[in-house]
Amino acid sequence: MPKADNAEAAGLRVVVLGGTGFLGRRIGEAFTADGALVHLVSRSPERDGTAGPRSVGIDLLTAGPRELTEFFGSVRPDVVVNAAGRAWRADEAEMTAGNADLVARVTESLVRLPHVPRLIQLGTVHEYGAGTPGAGTSEDQEPAPVTPYGRTKLLGTRIVLRAAAEHGLDGVVLRLANVIGAGAPAGSLFGMVAAHLGEAARAQSLGEKPDELRLPPLRAHRDIVDAHDAVDAVRAAATAPGTELGGQVVNIGRGEAVPMQELIHRMVELSGVDLPVVESVADQPGRNDAQWLQLDVSRARRLLRWQPRRTLDASLRDLLTAALPTPVNGRK
């Protein structure tokens, strides 16, 4: 298992695409703490501080291979992490642009470099489609995604694997379970529930009755991974031996399917907010999510020496502490 201080990453030149996003920001901070020289690439870069990652302004959705090649050539990265993409509030064409077309331009640029870096592509469990209830899905299962997000992320995965097979790209795809942690995207179920609980807590503190929490049917079972654990998997992939890792897909999750109904009710319980949770009778129109998503993470243990460390309660507390106006269980 990777150590908290990844000494092997010290001195590496690391580029994080999507570096101001939910996971990208954490990845950049973690590599910086490891002693790496980090460049965070995003359309809206943040002002550089006196120390820490360097922000680079590039619109990844419009940047062509030449612009990307020039940038990578100037930085000469050892590792490129692609944490960019489209998931929420986007149609399939927009997701294709962010999750597949961008990956094609990145791989095309990287294989042109004199020194080809390792590419760590962040994939998703939704590439698999429906799993088998009671069992974990291994990387050998043929993907059959049922959502636009899953389909477009699978296109990105196949682009990386093809570049590895045909052009020698040192590329690995980390297929992430549903990621949870502080600042979860507002479009996700966890982010939406956290935001509602924050508003309800503020209403309750003013003596007002909070609005009930209305949700679609919570019948699904999902594999959940903490954001900190996901970042540790990226750190491990950056320094793992390339002879074993290149051209691989590696599942990153808890290795268990959690009932979403129980998880959301536990989230409400930990928040301390007294409000009813109301599930609609019918599914939302157009939704076709797989009801069972569970990953087999044995390859991650073998190749990355990685396994999840954090409990679900710890993940939920992180999420709630960031959303609520008062500490959760004494935490700030």
Side-chain angles (χ1 to χ4, degrees):
M1 294 169 59
K3 299 179 180 178
D5 55 335
N6 188 4
E8 292 180 336
L12 288 180
R13 294 183 296 272
V14 178
V15 168
V16 182
L17 306 179
T20 57
F22 171 54
L23 274 180
R25 184 190 309 273
R26 286 178 167 85
I27 292 167
E29 291 172 349
F31 276 115
T32 299
D34 289 335
L37 175 60
V38 179
H39 291 78
L40 303 180
V41 180
S42 66
R43 182 169 50 188
S44 302
E46 298 176 345
R47 180 179 298 177
D48 290 338
T50 56
R54 302 178 182 182
S55 293
V56 180
I58 298 176
D59 187 341
L60 294 170
L61 291 178
T62 61
R66 176 176 295 181
E67 181 180 356
L68 291 172
T69 301
E70 290 177 354
F71 165 68
F72 290 133
S74 67
V75 174
R76 294 180 295 112
D78 301 296
V79 177
V80 175
V81 182
N82 184 21
R86 298 294 300 273
W88 314 108
R89 298 166 182 164
D91 60 26
E92 189 155 357
E94 292 169 325
M95 290 184 186
T96 300
N99 300 335
D101 297 345
L102 168 61
V103 180
R105 295 196 304 276
V106 168
T107 57
E108 180 181 344
S109 300
L110 293 181
V111 298
R112 292 177 177 178
L113 300 176
H115 167 68
V116 180
R118 168 163 295 172
L119 173 63
I120 302 173
Q121 166 76 9
L122 301 189
T124 174
V125 63
H126 295 281
E127 295 174 43
Y128 285 120
T132 302
T137 299
S138 77
E139 295 87 349
D140 296 327
Q141 176 168 311
E142 184 65 27
V146 295
T147 64
Y149 179 61
R151 288 192 292 270
T152 57
K153 289 294 286 185
L154 178 59
L155 290 175
T157 289
R158 287 174 170 164
I159 289 168
V160 172
L161 299 184
R162 185 165 58 249
E166 298 178 0
H167 302 289
L169 177 69
D170 183 11
V172 59
V173 177
L174 301 185
R175 203 165 260 164
L176 303 179
N178 294 270
V179 182
I180 187 171
S188 68
L189 175 63
F190 299 123
M192 183 267 289
V193 172
H196 187 96
L197 289 171
E199 294 171 1
R202 283 182 278 274
Q204 193 168 277
S205 68
L206 296 172
E208 302 172 358
K209 183 179 179 181
D211 294 334
E212 63 187 14
L213 177 59
R214 301 189 65 86
L215 298 171
L218 298 173
R219 296 191 293 264
H221 290 65
R222 294 281 185 266
D223 201 326
I224 308 295
V225 66
D226 185 272
H228 296 287
D229 285 332
V231 170
D232 282 346
V234 174
R235 293 166 64 221
T239 55
T243 54
E244 294 185 356
L245 197 60
Q248 296 270 9
V249 174
V250 182
N251 289 339
I252 303 296
R254 291 181 59 82
E256 61 183 42
V258 180
M260 286 296 95
Q261 185 177 70
E262 292 182 13
L263 193 65
I264 295 303
H265 281 273
R266 178 58 175 162
M267 194 171 169
V268 174
E269 180 184 5
L270 288 172
S271 75
V273 179
D274 183 17
L275 83 167
V277 178
V278 179
E279 297 179 46
S280 63
V281 176
D283 288 316
Q284 292 178 333
R287 288 191 69 95
N288 190 30
D289 292 353
Q291 295 301 303
W292 184 280
L293 295 176
Q294 177 182 345
L295 293 173
D296 176 343
V297 295
S298 56
R299 182 177 291 181
R301 293 191 181 96
R302 178 171 57 85
L303 295 183
L304 304 182
R305 296 184 296 116
W306 173 93
Q307 67 183 38
R309 296 172 178 268
R310 306 196 82 227
T311 66
L312 287 173
D313 270 8
S315 303
L316 293 175
R317 288 191 178 98
D318 283 352
L319 179 60
L320 291 166
T321 297
L324 298 179
T326 55
V328 177
N329 290 357
R331 295 181 58 186
K332 294 186 177 181

